[in-house]
Amino acid sequence: MKVGIVGAGSIAFGAAAYLENAGHRAMLWSPSGERTKRLATGEALIASGALEGTFHPAVAGSAQQLVEANDVLMIALPGYGHKAVMDAIAPFIREGQAVLISSHASFGALYLNRLLAERGIVVPIVAWGTTVTTGRQPSLVEAQVNTVRSKVDVATVPESLSAEGLSVCQTLFGDRFVQRDGILAIALSNLNPQNHMGIALCNMTRMEHGETWPQGLNVTPNVGRLLEELDRERIAIAEALGLKVRDIFEHFHLSFHVPKDSVSAMNQEMHREGRGGTGPATADSRYVTEDVPFGLLMTVKLGELTGRPAVLHDAGVRIFSAMYGRDFAAENTLLDAIGMSDLSLERLRQLARDGFEVSTEARAAS
């Protein structure tokens, strides 16, 4: 299959390498054009680590070219870029063209669904709870793939197209996907925001000084306990919604193949095995700039709707805002775009299940 990837960072490069290695054709689109310049001249993409090889993904010059040239689309860039790229690709998406969001943030699937509903278009929009690959981008022609996850939670909007969405994921990335109970479950299945909050908060001076530091080793017992308490808030919200999601212990066990133990002990084991990863070497890291406004804030909002206050998550938004001198809560444009503050819990459940209504006029025009 031909897959158009929106983005050109570490996750997009890892996905392109995976797809090419599996016999599919990948095309990358960098909204700025800067991150694909070298690939556009014919240089190869070199993957190392958990996936090795030399690949030649195509490069799109525009959103329109990317959409029109491919069977499936995949959004693989930080959450703060989702609204802009959804605005760019939505006018060209055709009926039945599946869109994968790797990974889903702040109900972006609903925003894209609304844009398409206004055109009378319905497609499977598959929200991933996390990414298939993890890694770094040593250069603009390299993908260092640290992990290929064995399990990834997914859900499709609208739910009526779930079988089609799951089939596309399996065709492209293999039998690693677990169908969850809608995007509310996916919203509460992404542990990166809470985990990155604890790790960044407790290692901020290392980040600001640009140090090279082992992440797994520095999830010490106190840091691990903070992550576990953050996780209890997330689980309480899921239970209030009647949803079953993996806890943090299952997450590390299944994603990183280590025996269940305390969060700190599992991270120490990952470090001993050489799979603990390297922490951010800059304060300008997605651990904060993406995960605080587009991850922590969403959990806070769901906590408010369900009557299960996420006080530690809320504290994280406020503390990082104070540290960075910016209002991270105001930076989430996706929640405002779907009118989150005006939604009742019942209306949010209905949208998560069925998506936005397609008007008769829009359907006729399409």
Side-chain angles (χ1 to χ4, degrees):
M1 296 182 77
K2 295 179 180 179
V3 183
I5 302 173
V6 180
S10 60
I11 299 304
F13 273 24
Y18 185 100
L19 290 165
E20 293 274 329
N21 189 61
H24 302 288
R25 294 293 296 129
M27 177 182 285
L28 294 158
W29 174 55
S30 166
S32 70
E34 292 299 315
R35 303 189 71 85
T36 52
K37 275 186 174 180
R38 292 177 62 182
L39 293 177
T41 65
E43 286 193 63
L45 172 61
I46 302 170
S48 61
L51 175 64
E52 298 187 347
T54 300
F55 308 101
H56 291 86
V59 173
S62 67
Q64 181 174 358
Q65 180 187 359
L66 185 84
V67 176
E68 293 179 350
N70 290 283
D71 307 310
V72 177
L73 301 175
M74 179 177 182
I75 296 174
L77 77 175
Y80 50 73
H82 283 192
K83 184 178 183 297
V85 299
M86 288 175 179
D87 288 339
I89 65 175
F92 310 108
I93 292 175
R94 57 190 178 271
E95 191 77 26
Q97 186 176 32
V99 181
L100 316 179
I101 305 179
S102 169
S103 58
H104 187 246
S106 287
F107 298 112
L110 289 183
Y111 177 64
L112 180 59
N113 169 263
R114 194 189 79 178
L115 293 178
L116 297 178
E118 291 170 354
R119 294 181 51 222
I121 301 293
V122 178
V123 305
I125 303 173
V126 189
W128 291 8
T130 188
T131 59
V132 167
T133 62
T134 69
R136 303 288 182 188
Q137 190 178 45
S139 77
L140 296 183
V141 290
E142 294 178 90
Q144 178 186 320
V145 181
N146 293 337
T147 305
V148 179
R149 289 190 169 100
S150 61
K151 298 293 180 184
V152 175
D153 293 339
V154 298
T156 301
V157 177
E159 288 185 12
S160 60
L161 297 180
S162 293
E164 183 179 341
L166 180 61
S167 177
V168 170
C169 293
Q170 292 172 331
T171 297
L172 295 175
F173 293 94
D175 188 18
R176 69 184 70 250
F177 297 95
V178 180
Q179 188 77 53
R180 291 298 178 187
D181 297 328
I183 62 167
L184 282 170
I186 292 300
L188 292 165
S189 293
N190 185 357
L191 279 72
N192 282 344
Q194 65 179 45
N195 293 349
H196 291 167
M197 170 188 159
I199 291 168
L201 186 62
C202 298
N203 292 278
M204 181 54 67
T205 55
R206 291 188 172 97
M207 294 165 61
E208 286 191 286
H209 286 305
E211 296 177 10
T212 299
W213 54 281
Q215 179 168 293
L217 179 65
N218 284 288
V219 180
T220 55
N222 284 351
V223 177
R225 278 188 287 271
L226 173 58
L227 301 189
E228 291 169 14
E229 288 300 319
L230 284 160
D231 195 60
R232 288 188 181 94
E233 292 187 344
R234 181 184 63 89
I235 295 297
I237 295 169
E239 289 175 348
L241 289 166
L243 300 172
K244 173 64 176 175
V245 296
R246 293 193 187 96
D247 64 26
I248 194 169
F249 307 102
E250 295 171 303
H251 166 75
F252 278 106
H253 171 61
L254 294 173
S255 294
F256 300 103
H257 322 298
V258 290
K260 282 189 180 181
D261 206 328
S262 71
V263 168
S264 177
M266 286 191 282
N267 274 270
Q268 302 306 312
E269 179 61 26
M270 290 161 55
H271 174 73
R272 283 190 291 271
E273 294 177 3
R275 298 187 294 110
T278 303
T282 174
D284 185 22
S285 165
R286 66 182 179 86
Y287 280 29
V288 178
T289 57
E290 175 185 13
D291 287 334
V292 173
F294 291 92
L296 297 183
L297 182 65
M298 183 203 61
T299 304
V300 171
K301 295 298 185 183
L302 287 177
E304 292 171 354
L305 278 176
T306 57
R308 300 292 190 275
V311 294
L312 290 176
H313 287 73
D314 187 44
V317 176
R318 294 171 184 273
I319 290 170
F320 280 116
S321 292
M323 293 173 74
Y324 280 66
R326 52 201 278 193
D327 184 356
F328 280 119
E331 293 184 15
N332 187 318
T333 53
L334 284 171
L335 293 181
D336 287 342
I338 64 167
M340 182 74 176
S341 60
D342 298 322
L343 296 179
S344 66
L345 182 56
E346 187 54 39
R347 174 59 171 163
L348 180 60
R349 287 180 186 271
Q350 183 267 319
L351 289 174
R353 181 181 65 249
D354 304 323
F356 283 89
E357 297 80 3
V358 177
S359 69
T360 303
E361 294 79 5
R363 176 74 74 179
S366 67

